[in-house]
Amino acid sequence: GGTGDPLVEMFVPAPAADPVLNTNAGLTLNEGASSGITSSLLDVSDEDTDDADLIFTVTTAPTKGQLENSDNAGTAASSFTMQDIIDGKISYTHDDSETTNDEFIVSVSDGTSSIDDINFAISINPIDDETPTVDVNTGLTLDEGASEDITSSILSASDEDSDDATLTFTVTIAPANGQIENSDNAGTAASSFTMQNISDGKISYTHNDSETDEDSFIVSVSDGTNTLNDVSVSITVTPVDDETPTVDVNTGLTLDEG
């Protein structure tokens, strides 16, 4: 019998697999800290590509810190592989600024196809590591025997980690010729007060009407964790002519007649 045409077997290669983003959990770390970006936080796989050939490219770098590869520590990483992540080489270091979030954007490629615009979120836990600063300390001028508010234009402090209500002044050396008072407890010497008290117009100094032309007091300022000590506030007292003349000697006069 005759023979048919020979059977030709053709091999059609399977289409290349695309990278798959399995995990993008983001990162949480403390302010100023460094933390590894592990495969439990960021993970990509590809059926026909080794992890060493899955390349992440940083398209938008973080603005509040830096991505690093331990193979080149101290230098911002512009790219890295999935194998680098698995090997624990990739980390993020926060710049210790008073910020609570950051992010970076990467693409990942297997050399043929890619996933673009992978946004990796970073949450920063604030740390109270800032010491309060005194922004204004002009001192106070008032008349003898008078009372004057200590306003924020006279004494003001701030702290990047704390609000004014928790920023506390403690009087370590009280004035010698008068008294600091809080209107919430008028008539009583104030041993402490907050920056919010100053802003609300509650803090004043009252001179004791003595014949003195100066006074001062010293405070510390604390946010509850960090303290600035020995803040001296000067007080200038303008004399007032409020004293009635006194006759110190009046013995009378004795003389001979004529």
Side-chain angles (χ1 to χ4, degrees):
T3 59
D5 294 333
L7 180 63
V8 177
E9 187 174 329
M10 299 190 63
F11 173 74
V12 178
D18 294 333
V20 176
L21 178 62
N22 302 312
T23 307
N24 180 14
L27 172 67
T28 298
L29 78 166
N30 289 338
E31 175 187 315
S34 180
S35 186
I37 297 175
T38 65
S39 57
S40 64
L41 302 176
L42 181 61
D43 182 67
V44 171
S45 61
D46 190 311
E47 289 182 3
D48 54 16
T49 305
D50 292 336
D51 290 330
D53 295 321
L54 278 174
I55 299 173
F56 292 83
T57 300
V58 180
T59 54
T60 301
T63 59
K64 308 300 189 306
Q66 183 166 278
L67 283 174
E68 295 186 14
N69 187 323
S70 60
D71 286 341
N72 195 14
T75 302
S78 58
S79 66
F80 51 90
T81 68
M82 188 62 222
Q83 191 63 53
D84 290 333
I85 293 177
I86 292 169
D87 292 343
K89 293 182 176 182
I90 308 304
S91 64
Y92 168 85
T93 300
H94 184 242
D95 63 5
D96 205 26
S97 59
E98 300 301 312
T99 48
T100 57
N101 57 71
D102 201 359
E103 65 179 4
F104 61 88
I105 299 174
V106 291
S107 64
V108 59
S109 174
D110 62 6
T112 301
S113 56
S114 64
I115 306 173
D116 297 321
D117 299 328
I118 300 172
N119 189 314
F120 189 85
I122 301 168
S123 296
I124 313 297
N125 295 321
I127 300 295
D128 187 0
D129 56 356
E130 298 294 324
T131 300
T133 59
V134 172
D135 306 309
V136 179
N137 181 12
T138 64
L140 173 67
T141 299
L142 79 168
D143 288 340
E144 174 189 315
S147 181
E148 191 76 31
D149 286 344
I150 299 173
T151 66
S152 57
S153 63
I154 293 171
L155 180 62
S156 179
S158 61
D159 188 311
E160 293 184 357
D161 294 326
S162 307
D163 57 32
D164 288 345
T166 57
L167 203 54
T168 302
F169 294 81
T170 299
V171 180
T172 55
I173 299 179
N177 302 315
Q179 184 166 277
I180 301 168
E181 296 185 15
N182 186 325
S183 60
D184 286 341
N185 195 14
T188 302
S191 59
S192 66
F193 50 90
T194 68
M195 187 61 224
Q196 190 63 54
N197 292 151
I198 292 178
S199 298
D200 292 342
K202 294 183 175 182
I203 307 305
S204 63
Y205 167 83
T206 300
H207 185 244
N208 64 6
D209 205 25
S210 60
E211 299 300 311
T212 49
D213 59 7
E214 63 180 14
D215 204 355
S216 66
F217 61 93
I218 297 177
V219 292
S220 62
V221 192
S222 176
D223 60 12
T225 302
N226 307 288
T227 302
L228 177 66
N229 293 309
D230 299 329
V231 179
S232 179
V233 181
S234 62
I235 300 168
T236 301
V237 180
T238 303
V240 173
D241 187 1
D242 58 355
E243 297 296 321
T244 302
T246 60
V247 175
D248 302 314
V249 179
N250 182 8
T251 64
L253 175 65
T254 301
L255 75 165
D256 293 336
E257 179 183 328

